[in-house]
Amino acid sequence: MKQTLFIVGARGAGKTTIGKLLAEALSYTFTDTDESIQASCGMTIADLVEQYGWTHFRELESQILKNVSQNKCVISTGGGMILSSENRQYMQQNGIVIYLQASAEVLIKRLSLNPENTQRPSLTGKSITEEIESILTERERLYRECANFIVDANSSTENISSLINGYILNQKIG
């Protein structure tokens, strides 16, 4: 019985917000891999990427994923966690992967309201609209490939949480 929940999706999909709600509802611990990386490095992701590059960041991300995985835990992953086939396989083998699928329009709106520029460096150097559309095109297949459950994350937090809780109850892991 897999009791670790991995939440995947693009920036702005609500992974941290939903993850915290799920952890509370299930009496699980909650971990955000981006926050864990920042805590372990003592710098923002933007500074880390600027100083050491994306390759180094992705290596740290994979390491943190394994370090924070534990029983009865909800893990909110960085948007690019699924880029590594090793990470996708690890999550599938060690828990249930929930994909928060949101439209480009919704992601752009959410990120524009709360850009967190220091935490979320541009991946492409393009405008937020071009970047989100490009990233979704590139990653959609990977998110779907590793997901056990896909949730429409365009709706309210309450609806998303309710759908996931229903799925979890049906899986008998709560």
Side-chain angles (χ1 to χ4, degrees):
M1 180 159 45
K2 296 180 178 181
Q3 292 188 319
T4 302
L5 301 176
F6 297 98
I7 303 179
V8 301
R11 291 188 298 167
K15 299 181 300 285
T16 300
T17 301
I18 297 299
K20 287 178 180 177
L21 289 172
L22 281 174
E24 186 178 331
L26 295 168
S27 297
Y28 280 19
T29 57
F30 172 78
T31 302
D32 180 302
T33 59
D34 283 349
E35 290 176 8
S36 296
I37 290 168
Q38 291 178 106
S40 72
C41 296
M43 62 176 73
T44 66
I45 290 173
D47 290 342
L48 179 68
V49 169
E50 185 178 325
Q51 194 167 341
Y52 299 104
W54 280 107
T55 302
H56 180 73
F57 171 74
R58 295 292 179 212
E59 290 168 359
L60 275 176
E61 191 175 52
S62 296
Q63 182 182 339
I64 290 286
L65 177 66
K66 293 177 181 112
N67 290 351
V68 300
S69 294
Q70 57 182 302
N71 204 19
K72 295 195 175 197
C73 185
V74 176
I75 300 171
S76 169
T77 66
M81 185 68 76
I82 48 80
L83 292 173
S84 160
S85 60
E86 183 182 313
N87 290 347
R88 292 191 307 276
Q89 184 177 13
Y90 180 85
M91 290 186 289
Q92 287 173 313
Q93 291 175 348
N94 292 283
I96 292 177
V97 183
I98 298 166
Y99 170 29
L100 298 185
Q101 183 182 44
S103 68
E105 296 77 25
V106 167
L107 295 172
I108 291 162
K109 182 179 176 185
R110 288 178 184 167
L111 291 172
S112 297
L113 292 172
N114 187 18
E116 298 179 50
N117 290 329
T118 57
Q119 183 182 344
R120 296 174 167 159
S122 172
L123 297 168
T124 62
K126 298 176 182 175
S127 74
I128 191 168
T129 301
E130 291 175 308
E131 179 166 297
I132 292 297
E133 290 171 351
S134 171
I135 296 295
L136 284 180
T137 300
E138 174 192 341
R139 297 179 181 175
E140 178 68 19
R141 178 185 60 80
L142 300 175
Y143 288 131
R144 288 179 161 283
E145 176 185 304
C146 69
N148 296 101
F149 185 56
I150 300 171
V151 181
D152 179 354
N154 294 314
S155 61
S156 71
T157 303
E158 294 76 21
N159 286 347
I160 297 166
S161 295
S162 177
L163 287 168
I164 295 171
N165 282 326
Y167 174 78
I168 291 168
L169 287 173
N170 287 333
Q171 299 301 307
K172 297 178 177 64
I173 69 155

